[in-house]
Amino acid sequence: MSTLPEAPLQGATLKAGRHDPSGRIRLLVSDIDGTLVTRTKELTPAVLEMAPRLRDASVQLALVSSRPARGMDMFLQPLGIDTPRAGLNGGEILAPDGSLVAAMALDPQVARIVVETLDEHGVDSWLFAEGSWLIRRPDGAYVAQEHRAVQLEPVVVDSFASHYHKVGKIMGSSADYHLLERVEKNVQTLLGDRVNAHRSQSYYLDVTHPDANKGRAALHLADLLGVPPAEMACIGDMSNDIAMLQVAGVAIAMGNATDEVAAAAHFVTDSNEQDGWATAMERFILPRSPGYGRPGEAA
């Protein structure tokens, strides 16, 4: 069996300032948008080829996303995924058969304050509650894009007033990225430990239950699969991914990640437009897998 690479190869940088990366990985927890898929929400041939190689090397693949859990169904069959998955940044976890394992909802009063704050700043808001996607403006700037991405039909309502119970996530969307960055900080400061507010894209702000974050979600997935955190790798690109990078045995940031995310990772790979996900698997996950060097897996 070959030893681990002494240094990262071109296009992937080892980051300092945190514990050393683990030498053994049996689970990869992956973000989707900006990480696993391209800007057009597609799985590249390299990603599709890498998924069975992970399985052959005894590395399980689990997905965690700001999407509702049902909004990642289209990736399960192409990637051969039969593991639990976490949606709404950990606000809901589904078993492999799609049944609900766990869910967290915002306090109704807190949910109302969040929506009012977004309204005050001119940020379009959506609610994700009990499997439904609720919107007030079907002509909102990012509604059609989100519909294509998650393949869920939005439910149009005149008001959110009667829908604040069991809200798993509030999403704010705006084409003014700098405004959304300011609103992110404003919401977190205003509500403190009553919410978890992070952008999942430059144009999306996710607000969830304070305990609903990708770090807790990744640990929950690892526990369900019987894998210790030290043998779990995580990969992502946005600030909502930092919590899971911080608990991973191997933490990988995409090349398109923000500087803050890159600083939380052991390695930085190429961007999602340059097959950075597949590159990271080849360089940092497969060499640490239980099956590395077996017949059929290059040593």
Side-chain angles (χ1 to χ4, degrees):
M1 180 179 297
S2 299
T3 59
L4 297 180
E6 291 297 328
L9 304 180
Q10 184 178 3
T13 306
L14 176 63
K15 303 298 293 185
R18 55 166 296 162
H19 62 79
D20 291 339
S22 172
R24 177 181 170 88
I25 293 299
R26 293 196 291 128
L27 170 64
L28 172 72
V29 177
S30 178
D31 170 49
I32 296 176
D33 299 290
T35 300
L36 185 68
V37 298
T38 64
R39 283 194 298 266
T40 55
K41 310 302 181 184
E42 296 175 316
L43 297 169
T44 67
V47 169
L48 291 169
E49 291 170 6
M50 186 57 68
R53 290 186 62 190
L54 291 175
R55 286 196 301 276
D56 290 345
S58 300
V59 177
Q60 299 184 82
L61 171 60
L63 301 179
V64 60
S65 178
S66 65
R67 295 170 176 237
R70 295 293 183 188
M72 57 183 84
D73 285 354
M74 71 288 295
F75 303 119
L76 304 182
Q77 190 276 330
L79 296 174
I81 293 176
D82 58 359
T83 53
R85 56 196 183 275
L88 305 182
N89 292 322
E92 60 181 8
I93 294 179
L94 299 189
D97 64 2
S99 60
L100 186 66
V101 173
M104 298 180 190
L106 283 162
D107 177 273
Q109 178 68 4
V110 168
R112 180 186 63 78
I113 294 172
V114 171
V115 170
E116 290 176 352
T117 303
L118 296 178
D119 287 348
E120 289 171 4
H121 289 85
V123 174
D124 195 20
S125 58
W126 308 332
L127 302 188
F128 291 87
E130 297 186 295
S132 295
W133 170 25
L134 307 179
I135 66 173
R136 294 174 298 182
R137 294 179 51 225
D139 61 344
Y142 291 98
V143 171
Q145 174 177 305
E146 188 70 4
H147 183 209
R148 289 192 300 270
V150 303
Q151 299 179 21
L152 293 177
E153 198 69 37
V155 177
V156 182
V157 297
D158 292 330
S159 170
F160 290 149
S162 62
H163 298 283
Y164 288 132
H165 63 291
K166 297 187 177 179
V167 174
K169 183 180 76 167
I170 298 172
M171 178 181 281
S173 63
S174 174
D176 187 336
Y177 304 163
H178 295 298
L179 168 66
L180 205 58
E181 182 178 8
R182 294 195 300 272
V183 174
E184 173 188 13
K185 296 175 181 176
N186 182 274
V187 169
Q188 193 68 70
T189 300
L190 176 66
L191 293 166
D193 61 5
R194 291 186 286 174
V195 299
N196 192 16
H198 288 286
R199 281 167 298 149
S200 56
Q201 299 289 332
S202 55
Y203 44 84
Y204 285 159
L205 170 62
D206 296 341
V207 183
T208 58
H209 185 282
D211 291 336
N213 64 67
K214 288 189 178 182
R216 288 178 181 268
L219 291 174
H220 197 159
L221 293 172
D223 183 62
L224 289 171
L225 294 167
V227 177
E231 297 184 9
M232 171 181 70
C234 294
I235 183 170
D237 70 308
M238 288 297 290
S239 63
N240 63 328
D241 296 314
I242 291 175
M244 70 176 181
L245 298 183
Q246 291 173 334
V247 299
V250 171
I252 305 169
M254 296 297 294
N256 48 289
T258 65
D259 291 343
E260 183 184 20
V261 176
H266 292 114
F267 303 102
V268 177
T269 184
D270 297 321
S271 79
N272 62 325
E273 295 299 307
Q274 300 169 306
D275 272 322
W277 190 90
T279 297
M281 301 306 105
E282 185 76 59
R283 295 176 176 174
F284 307 124
I285 304 303
L286 287 178
R288 292 173 163 82
S289 69
Y292 187 63
R294 292 191 313 208
E297 191 59 61

